[in-house]
Amino acid sequence: MNTDIPYKTYLSEDELPKAWYNVRADMKQKPAPLLNPKTLQPCTAAELEQVFCRECVRQELDNDTPYIPIPQPVLDFYKMYRPSPLVRAYFLEKALGTPAKIYYKFEGNNTSGSHKLNSAIAQTYYAKAQGISDITTETGAGQWGTALSMGSAFFGLKCHVYMVKCSYEQKPFRRDVMRTYGADVTPSPSMTTEIGKRINEEHPGTTGSLGCAISEAVERAVTMPNARYLLGSVLNQVCLHQSVIGLETQAALQKLGVKPDVIIGCAGGGSNLAGLIAPFVGEKLRGENDYRIIAVEPASCPSLTRGKYAYDFCDTGRVCPLQKMYTLGAGFIPSASHAGGLRYHGMSAMLSELYAQGLMEARSVEQTKVFEAAVQFARTEGTLPAPESSHAIRVAIDEALRCKAEGKAETIVFGLSGTGYFDMMSYGRFIDGNMSDTIPTDDELNASFAQLPQVNA
Ligand SMILES: *Cc1c(COP(=O)(O)O)cnc(C)c1O
């Protein structure tokens, strides 16, 4: 092992970022505004505050302030599990025989098992500061629900989680981690909301989707006194909080005197990728540096690579605001055989706009190839990766092999957004040879696009 560059680079506690970076401030063409689904006019702060906490709404709508201070109680909580390490993947490089230098930023070293805690703790802090008593949310694979349960326990809030039904059944341990932190967990679609009842009637036996669980959680928040809804991805505010990942990565790379050529992240709703790339995109936008940035998504839920850039509902129940984004249609539900998370039908408005402007590339990968990469990574680097994160590993390996073929010693940085401890059913299926790739047909996607709302904005 080369000893010039350490295997792991940590910042000190003093070097933790004191402010989040808001990349929208440096974008000339801003992400399109959220629209009220009834009036089709941009949502006002007052409208959004009926659903979300006040400070989160302020951050959601702030396209101009580049640095937003991290409140001291949030910084204090961050110290429990941050800074996270930047790791030089020497063992993977050796196994691949590549001249490329591979680094990854590991966000899985906390009980929630992923980067989601970075935003959960901020959002629960703002809810508490506003005097909110109950918060509702949805969770897909379970990481967001766990992160939010942890934040709620820390700040003394009651947390109600709607968990996508197939995950609820496949991941009983996730459910019980959330309950350990005091949350109520309901499988979605449920019979506890009007929207859940309607979806159960229209799609009997459905295994649920994130969009549907969102509708239920929002309905619960607006019908319960002193409650607000918190979302774990997609929104500007979430991408903002996740910038702590990129700021730490940037600082660690500067310490090492290393400049990346390629930066890679998996993208579901887009928050971990948005956070990782934020300061680097800022450098690109200000003309200071250039990087290739690659978003990786599942072939079974390919919003950037096969979706439409259009206004769409953020939820299946069509009650939430409309967002302009790359979308497969709010009614799109990925195949139940898809194991790897990243099941959301749309993509963050900010990332969508960067992609539309050509500032970011996107690639879709099949899940059997993703699990091959996951197993190779686990066996070489030791860490068991989340299936979501393994989408980024897949493309990092592919890029490193390209470097090998071209004889180039490029530097690749990717986001390892979480651990795979709660995904062993999926790993088991892969190892037993029972995993298949289900890719939506053009006809299926066109049928879904036909349901997009007609918006002339
Ligand atoms: C939730 C999650 C993702 C996907 O969400 P983004 O908002 O796209 O980051 C990726 N990796 C892990 C480990 C997750 O828990």
Side-chain angles (χ1 to χ4, degrees), residues 114-116 143 232-233 266-273 342 386 388-389 417-418:
S114 82
H115 65 283
K116 295 211 172 61
Q143 288 95 325
S233 182
C266 66
S271 70
N272 88 87
L273 175 67
L342 312 176
E388 292 90 340
S389 322
S417 51

Side-chain angles (χ1 to χ4, degrees), residues 27 277 281 285 349-360:
M27 292 172 73
I277 67 176
V281 169
L285 288 165
M350 193 267 281
L351 287 184
S352 291
E353 184 54 35
L354 293 177
Y355 183 57
Q357 290 180 27
L359 289 157
M360 181 177 92

Side-chain angles (χ1 to χ4, degrees), residues 94-337:
K94 188 159 169 249
L96 297 173
T98 178
K101 302 174 188 72
I102 309 175
Y103 294 81
Y104 59 92
K105 178 73 169 165
F106 182 45
E107 289 294 314
N109 266 336
N110 66 75
T111 297
S112 81
S114 82
H115 65 283
K116 295 211 172 61
L117 197 52
N118 299 331
S119 184
I121 199 65
Q123 294 192 46
T124 46
Y125 166 75
Y126 290 126
K128 183 66 181 182
Q130 190 182 332
I132 299 298
S133 60
D134 288 68
I135 58 172
T136 72
T137 197
E138 80 296 331
T139 198
Q143 288 95 325
W144 170 245
T146 307
L148 204 55
S149 305
M150 292 171 71
S152 302
F154 191 73
F155 288 118
L157 299 161
K158 184 70 200 164
C159 180
H160 308 259
V161 181
Y162 285 88
M163 186 168 186
V164 177
K165 194 179 275 172
C166 64
S167 299
Y168 184 88
E169 286 160 3
Q170 282 178 8
K171 301 185 176 182
F173 295 131
R174 272 282 179 206
R175 186 179 71 208
D176 289 334
V177 175
M178 290 185 254
R179 297 199 308 148
T180 301
Y181 285 93
D184 283 340
V185 188
T186 308
S188 166
S190 75
M191 299 302 275
T192 66
T193 63
E194 293 310 311
I195 283 160
K197 286 179 200 161
R198 200 179 81 210
I199 292 172
N200 269 318
E201 242 162 57
E202 287 171 6
H203 306 275
T206 175
T207 52
S209 70
L210 262 189
C212 157
I214 293 173
S215 304
E216 289 206 273
V218 170
E219 182 181 320
R220 182 79 189 263
V222 297
T223 51
M224 198 168 34
N226 204 26
R228 287 294 183 282
Y229 166 72
L230 309 188
L231 183 61
S233 182
V234 184
L235 294 174
N236 291 332
Q237 54 184 283
V238 183
C239 296
L240 172 74
H241 303 149
Q242 295 300 352
S243 68
V244 68
I245 304 172
L247 291 165
E248 282 184 15
T249 304
Q250 186 188 44
L253 287 170
Q254 273 166 6
K255 260 192 171 177
L256 298 173
V258 169
K259 180 186 173 291
D261 297 293
V262 190
I263 306 172
I264 301 166
C266 66
S271 70
N272 88 87
L273 175 67
L276 173 68
I277 67 176
F280 301 99
V281 169
E283 292 177 25
K284 256 172 101 112
L285 288 165
R286 296 188 302 270
E288 297 163 5
N289 262 318
D290 201 14
Y291 307 98
R292 271 181 73 211
I293 291 170
I294 309 176
V296 191
E297 58 186 14
S300 54
C301 194
S303 52
L304 284 171
T305 50
R306 292 177 69 200
K308 289 250 186 298
Y309 192 27
Y311 266 104
D312 193 12
F313 291 93
C314 294
D315 63 321
T316 314
R318 299 172 161 242
V319 293
C320 293
L322 296 167
Q323 172 161 281
K324 189 177 178 196
M325 58 185 172
Y326 281 86
T327 178
L328 298 168
F332 180 83
I333 297 185
S335 157
S337 72

Side-chain angles (χ1 to χ4, degrees), residues 18-35:
K18 306 283 185 299
W20 294 298
Y21 169 60
N22 179 7
V23 70
R24 286 168 287 155
D26 282 312
M27 292 172 73
K28 282 191 200 79
Q29 174 78 35
K30 309 288 183 189
L34 292 167
L35 298 186

